[in-house]
Amino acid sequence: MKTILVTGGAGYIGSHTVIRLINNGYRVIVADDLSTGSKEAVDKRAKFYECDIYNKKELSNILSNERIDGILHCAGKIVVAESIDNPLKYFENNVVGLKNVLDVLVDFNIKNIIFSSTASVYGNNAFNVKATEDTLTAPTNPYAESKLIGERMIMWTAKKHNLNYVIFRYFNVAGAMIDASNGLRTKNPTHLIPSINSVALGKKDKLEIFGDDYDTLDGTCIRDFIHVNDLAKAHQFGFDYLFKNGSSDIFNLGSEKGYSVKNVYYESVKLLKTDIPVVYSKRREGDPDCVLANISKVKEILHWEPEFNLEDIILSDFNWRKKLLCLN
Ligand code: UDP
């Protein structure tokens, strides 16, 4: 049985992936500082270490105790607006954090890593085209820049130390477990779908749509949404591939379907059959007009494709948020 260390395994994407990995025959160790993650999100079958990944000694202690075959590095900061306000915090978390992980990977001779990157590395180059992994990168904010630096750090380190890596560029991840057993735990979400659902549940007064003067059909930004469980499945396929000696590569994880912010809003109103107050305000800094994936490569090489659609994403997040309200 292979053992995977998941940094950030108490967070949203990490915790869903931990469940998927365990259900598919992996042993999982979670390292998380619980700064944004939550202990309750960690599958009880995983071994948990509360660990600051900026402290190399704490990370090394885990590696000294456990025999690890691969690392999934999910820990990191992910809010674009926050990254514009505090770029150095983002470089510290996302770049220095990864550097520590790579240091221990090399020190303990671990050969496999999967890295959570982002479609926002494409910036506006995915406008009017579906971005392939060869589309030129052009980050428009410090968050995206920090992830692109991370990708390059991995590539150079892999070359020198014979590591195998899979880099996943996530498009817009949302949704929750279909049985509402896990989901995004942030109380004041900033992402679109959880924000819409928070308004629908009366936890927020109104939805603010940031900008309706973009160069798109209805003037609002276009995004490609992917269910968190589809994303989790891709990580399992990624490790299966690496352990069968698959070669290092970068893959987009999206759905190839573009929805504008207005599309998502009206779809939510229709599905939830409730009034969702909305206001239009000015553009949010750093938002690219359109981000859309081409997923031919991941289909062909990892044999992965998404199972869930926009309706599943909106409804699963809504049901989870409703349950979260009852729990608190
Ligand atoms: N958005 C919005 N109102 C919100 C949250 C997001 O209009 O309350 C828009 C945002 O400007 C962007 C799209 O929804 O055009 C997706 O934003 P999100 O923060 O969900 O993800 P991002 O694409 O920034 O990673």
Side-chain angles (χ1 to χ4, degrees), residues 195-212:
S195 297
I196 292 176
N197 285 332
S198 292
V199 179
L201 288 162
K203 292 308 285 177
K204 242 175 136 172
D205 291 347
K206 51 187 179 295
L207 175 75
E208 222 182 315
I209 291 187
F210 301 123
D212 61 352

Side-chain angles (χ1 to χ4, degrees), residues 146-278:
S146 70
K147 286 292 184 180
L148 189 58
I149 293 171
E151 291 188 4
R152 289 169 194 255
M153 281 165 63
I154 290 174
M155 289 177 202
W156 287 110
T157 311
K159 191 168 175 193
K160 166 75 186 162
H161 296 281
N162 289 321
L163 309 180
N164 301 313
Y165 63 82
V166 161
I167 291 169
F168 283 129
R169 290 178 174 162
Y170 306 157
F171 283 66
N172 285 65
V173 188
M177 296 294 277
I178 301 300
D179 64 359
S181 56
N182 196 21
L184 179 70
R185 286 168 196 262
T186 318
K187 295 227 172 62
N188 298 307
T190 58
H191 290 293
L192 180 63
I193 291 175
S195 297
I196 292 176
N197 285 332
S198 292
V199 179
L201 288 162
K203 292 308 285 177
K204 242 175 136 172
D205 291 347
K206 51 187 179 295
L207 175 75
E208 222 182 315
I209 291 187
F210 301 123
D212 61 352
D213 56 350
Y214 284 94
D215 190 11
T216 60
L217 226 50
D218 66 17
T220 62
C221 291
I222 292 172
R223 294 289 181 274
D224 180 330
F225 294 89
I226 173 91
H227 193 284
V228 66
N229 282 345
D230 279 327
L231 208 76
K233 179 175 75 172
H235 291 77
Q236 179 225 320
F237 286 14
F239 278 118
D240 294 350
Y241 167 80
L242 286 178
F243 292 128
K244 278 189 212 126
N245 297 320
S247 50
S248 295
D249 220 330
I250 300 182
F251 300 102
N252 286 341
L253 294 179
S255 68
E256 293 196 333
K257 295 187 181 69
Y259 293 96
S260 74
V261 173
K262 271 190 190 169
N263 289 154
V264 177
Y265 170 72
Y266 286 116
E267 182 68 14
S268 305
V269 171
K270 192 181 90 192
L271 285 171
L272 304 175
K273 300 182 184 63
T274 180
D275 184 34
I276 303 175
V278 61

